[in-house]
Amino acid sequence: MNVGVNSSRLNLRLDGWRSRLLLIALVSCFAGLVGRAAWLQGFHAGFLQQKGEERYSRVIEMPASRGIIRDRNGQPLAISTPAESIWASREDVELSPAQSKSLAGLLHMDPRELAQRLNGGGRGNFVYLRRQVTPEVAQQIMDLKISGLFQQHGFHRAYPKGEETAHLVGFTDADDHGQEGVELAYQKDLGGSAGARRVIKDRAGHIIEDVESIRVPRPGQDIALSVDGRIQHLAYRELRNAVMVHRAKAGAVVILDTQTGEVLALANYPDYDPNNREHLSGAQLRNRAITDTFEPGSTLKPFTIATALEAGKVTPNTVIPTGGGQMTIGTSTIRDTHPFASLTVAQVIQHSSNVGAARIALTLPSETLWNMFTDVGFGQTPKLGFPGEAGGRVRPFRSWKPIEQATMSYGNGISVSLIQLARAYTIFANGGQLRPLSLTRVSTPPSGRQVISSQTARQVTDMLELVVKPEGTAPAAQVKGYRVAGKTGTAHKVVGGRYANRYVASFVGFAPASAPRVLIAIMIDEPAGSSYYGGLVAAPVFSALMGNVLQMLAVPPDDPNSSLFDAPAAGAGSAEDT
C-alpha cells in the first residue's frame, strides 16, 4: 500500500504559540546559565575559590607550650615536653591484619579495643586512638603507612617531683588544661594561647604546602612558687612516715615564712603520682591542708586567752579556779585530763585545761570572742586563689548558748582548715599582725593588719613556750638550740552528728621564739592505737621538721646552750582536750 508523505498520521505540527513558548523557555534557561556563570566567575569568584579550598585547605592549630612551674630556687616542678596525638578518619582507614597488630602494640592497646575504636558505630568519623605519645612512637606509627591515620602535635606535662608536690602543683588533662592545684589556679597565665596556620593537604592528609600563618602561638608564662623544694621534700617525708607509723587515715602539713606570709611547703598524705593517674581515688586527690576542715581542739585556746588579755579580763598570772578538772554547765560537764584545783592563765595554756579556757571564755561577751575568731580568718576562705579552698564554720554569736561558748573556747563546735589555722597563728609570731599568705614568691613582704597588740602577742608567745617544757603537753616538740612556741590539739571527730572515739591530732608552732621566722602546722587524721594525742603524734613531726628547716635557712640559734628535755612515753597522760 502506498502511503503518501502528506498522510494525516505523519503530518504533525505544533501550534504557533507552543513553538514560540518553547523557544522562549530554552533561550531563558540559556541566558540564566550564562548570567550565573558570569556572576560566579566575574563578580563572585571568592565563592568558587572557597569551595575549592575546602577540599584541600585546612586551618590547623599550633599548640602553645605551657609555662614552667618552678620552686623559689628555680627548680622545675612542672614542665612541658613535645608529644603527639594519634587520630584516625574512620572511613579512610585501611589496614592489614599485620598493620593492625603492629599498631595495637605501639599504642599499648588490645587489638579488639583498636578495632572497636575504628569501627565506632554511629560516633562520627573522627576518633583519637592515643593522646600524648612520644615523638619517637608517633614516628613508628606513621612509618606503618596506614591510610586515614594522622598525628597531631602537642605537649605532655611532666612532674619531676612526683608525689612530693602532687597536691600543690596539681596536673593537666589530655588537652593540657589545668585540672587541679596550681595548674588549675594559674591556668590563664600558664596556658598561653594556641596559634593557627593554613596549609594545603592531599587526600591522605599529608601537608604539601604551608600557605600562611594566621596566628602565632603565645607560650604560657612561667610561675615561681614560694615553695622551697628542699623543705617540701622534708615535709612530705616526715608526714608520710608519721601517718604510716601511727597507722593514721591521713595527714597534712603547712610550713610558712612568718615574715613574708609565703608558703614554704604544703604536703598531704595519702598521695598520688601526677605522672601516672590511671587509678586515682578521691581520697588521694584531696588537698586536705586547704580543702578539708576539722575541729581544731586545744590549738584554739591561745585565741581565747588572747581575747581575754586584750579585753583586760585577765593577765598571764591571773588565777583561774578549775574545780579539780571538772565544770558543769546545765546538763553538760566539761573535764580535764589532769585535774587541778586552780591554774594561772599561763598554766591553762601549758597544761591545756579545758575548764580553765571555758571559765575565761564565759567572762567575755560572745560577740568579742566571735570577733577574734573572724578577725584571724576563721569562717572565711584564705584567698590563696587555690581551687576548693574551705572557709570553715563559725556560727553567728547571737545563737551561742553558754555551753557552746564554753566548748568553743577549746576548739569544739568550730571548724577550720589547716592553712587557716597556720595563718591565724602568725599573729603571735608577727607582733599581732595578720598578713595575707602567698603561694608565689614575693619580693616585698605585704603589709599586715593589726589584730592584737604586740604586748598580747608577746604574752601568748611566752605561754606557748611553756607548752614544750617538761610540764607542758609537748616536750617532744623541742628543737635543740632554739626556743620553740607552740600548742597541741587533740579533738574528737564528729561522725553522724555525734562525737566518736576517733581523733585529729595536731600541733602548731613557730621558732625561734625570740624572733620567729618559720611556722609549722601539722594535722594527723585518725591515728590508731593508744598514741593519739597531739603531743605524742604531731609534736615529734614538728621537732624533726623545724630543726632541719631552720638549719637549711641558716637561722641562727637563739638558745645555743639549751638541752632537750625527755618527752613523755607513748600512752602517758597528756593534758589535752578529748
Side-chain angles (χ1 to χ4, degrees):
M1 183 176 62
N2 186 20
V3 181
V5 296
N6 293 325
S7 170
S8 62
R9 300 180 64 181
L10 296 178
N11 190 18
L12 300 177
R13 293 183 178 179
L14 291 174
D15 293 337
W17 68 271
R18 291 185 177 179
S19 60
R20 289 191 294 272
L21 179 62
L22 180 59
L23 178 61
I24 292 171
L26 291 174
V27 171
S28 298
C29 289
F30 181 75
L33 291 174
V34 171
R36 179 62 175 170
W39 166 256
L40 291 176
Q41 296 182 44
F43 302 99
H44 201 49
F47 172 80
L48 293 180
Q49 183 177 358
Q50 176 188 353
K51 291 302 180 182
E53 288 179 352
E54 285 179 357
R55 274 47 173 194
Y56 305 103
S57 175
R58 296 287 187 274
V59 175
I60 62 174
E61 186 177 274
M62 302 170 64
S65 176
R66 194 172 178 83
I68 300 173
I69 300 176
R70 304 180 186 273
D71 80 344
R72 66 184 301 107
N73 301 312
Q75 294 298 310
L77 304 178
I79 58 176
S80 292
T81 59
E84 308 292 328
S85 293
I86 305 300
W87 63 276
S89 172
R90 288 193 178 102
E91 65 183 19
D92 297 322
V93 172
E94 297 178 3
L95 71 169
S96 66
Q99 288 177 318
S100 177
K101 182 178 180 180
S102 298
L103 178 59
L106 290 170
L107 294 174
H108 300 290
M109 188 182 297
D110 186 274
R112 288 174 295 182
E113 181 186 356
L114 175 61
Q116 290 175 355
R117 290 201 180 190
L118 291 176
N119 292 333
R123 292 187 297 174
N125 188 42
F126 175 93
V127 61
Y128 276 114
L129 299 182
R130 179 70 71 188
R131 307 293 298 274
Q132 296 185 342
V133 301
T134 64
E136 293 77 17
V137 172
Q139 187 57 53
Q140 292 178 40
I141 292 173
M142 300 314 294
D143 288 344
L144 294 176
K145 304 298 183 183
I146 300 173
S147 62
L149 210 62
F150 310 97
Q151 65 179 352
Q152 177 179 311
H153 300 293
F155 295 92
H156 169 70
R157 203 65 162 163
Y159 303 94
K161 298 295 183 179
E163 296 90 343
E164 291 184 7
T165 58
H167 293 96
L168 176 67
V169 174
F171 56 85
T172 60
D173 61 12
D175 294 317
D176 220 19
H177 296 151
Q179 298 297 295
E180 293 284 346
V182 172
E183 292 278 34
L184 175 58
Y186 292 89
Q187 167 61 32
K188 184 176 180 181
D189 297 320
L190 289 167
S193 60
R197 63 188 176 118
R198 187 181 303 279
V199 298
I200 301 296
K201 289 187 176 182
D202 62 15
R203 188 177 183 278
H206 302 120
I207 296 175
I208 59 177
E209 184 181 352
D210 194 336
V211 178
E212 62 176 329
S213 174
I214 300 175
R215 185 174 61 255
V216 177
R218 179 178 60 82
Q221 301 176 28
D222 293 352
I223 298 291
L225 299 185
S226 59
V227 170
D228 187 314
R230 303 166 302 167
I231 298 176
Q232 179 74 18
H233 170 75
L234 291 173
Y236 170 78
R237 183 189 69 188
E238 295 298 330
L239 176 67
R240 180 187 60 186
N241 290 344
V243 171
M244 290 181 174
V245 167
H246 295 284
R247 294 175 288 123
K249 179 181 178 181
V253 59
V254 173
I255 303 180
L256 304 179
D257 185 322
T258 62
Q259 298 177 353
T260 65
E262 292 173 300
V263 178
L264 298 178
L266 189 154
N268 293 268
Y269 195 85
D271 59 17
Y272 67 93
D273 184 358
N275 297 301
N276 182 10
R277 305 189 299 273
E278 291 185 4
H279 305 288
L280 285 182
S281 66
Q284 290 174 292
L285 288 172
R286 279 163 52 192
N287 189 334
R288 299 170 190 270
I290 292 180
T291 65
D292 284 16
T293 61
F294 60 97
E295 291 196 350
S298 291
T299 57
L300 207 69
K301 288 173 183 171
F303 301 98
T304 300
I305 302 303
T307 307
L309 291 171
E310 285 285 284
K313 296 290 185 180
V314 297
T315 69
N317 296 319
T318 301
V319 177
I320 306 296
T322 51
Q326 187 168 303
M327 174 184 179
T328 300
I329 302 177
T331 59
S332 302
T333 300
I334 297 171
R335 293 182 174 85
D336 287 338
T337 304
H338 294 289
F340 292 93
S342 63
L343 294 168
T344 65
V345 171
Q347 289 172 328
V348 168
I349 292 292
Q350 182 180 26
H351 297 292
S352 198
S353 170
N354 295 341
V355 174
R359 287 196 180 278
I360 293 171
L362 290 174
T363 67
L364 299 166
S366 57
E367 184 177 3
T368 302
L369 196 58
W370 182 87
N371 284 336
M372 172 61 74
F373 293 160
T374 55
D375 280 348
V376 297
F378 298 146
Q380 306 156 55
T381 58
K383 297 181 180 179
L384 275 170
F386 201 90
E389 289 179 283
R393 182 171 180 260
V394 180
R395 289 181 291 107
F397 64 87
R398 289 186 177 85
S399 66
W400 292 3
K401 299 177 182 178
I403 184 61
E404 293 171 333
Q405 182 164 332
T407 58
M408 212 173 297
S409 71
Y410 54 84
N412 285 9
I414 182 173
S415 65
V416 302
S417 68
L418 190 64
I419 195 79
Q420 279 182 314
L421 190 60
R423 183 192 179 212
Y425 261 76
T426 61
I427 67 170
F428 306 125
N430 285 330
Q433 286 194 357
L434 184 71
R435 290 192 177 100
L437 300 185
S438 178
L439 281 172
T440 56
R441 189 170 183 178
V442 299
S443 55
T444 303
S447 58
R449 174 171 53 87
Q450 200 75 29
V451 176
I452 57 176
S453 67
S454 59
Q455 179 184 0
T456 297
R458 185 69 255 173
Q459 289 174 330
V460 174
T461 296
D462 291 342
M463 298 180 199
L464 294 175
E465 283 194 73
L466 297 176
V467 173
V468 303
K469 302 299 183 183
E471 299 82 11
T473 59
Q478 302 163 68
V479 177
K480 186 173 177 58
Y482 295 92
R483 291 166 52 191
V484 169
K487 185 69 189 76
T488 53
T490 310
H492 284 270
K493 292 184 68 174
V494 178
V495 180
R498 304 185 64 175
Y499 287 105
N501 287 326
R502 303 180 189 176
Y503 303 91
V504 174
S506 57
F507 186 88
V508 186
F510 49 88
S514 60
R517 173 68 190 282
V518 177
L519 185 145
I520 300 178
I522 299 146
M523 180 274 292
I524 306 296
D525 187 14
E526 293 190 24
S530 58
S531 297
Y532 55 82
Y533 290 112
L536 301 176
V537 175
V541 182
F542 171 89
S543 176
L545 277 175
M546 184 61 82
N548 283 310
V549 172
L550 291 175
Q551 292 181 27
M552 194 173 291
L553 298 178
V555 177
D558 61 345
D559 194 10
N561 298 320
S562 65
S563 59
L564 300 182
F565 303 106
D566 291 333
S574 182
E576 297 277 2
D577 65 308
T578 56

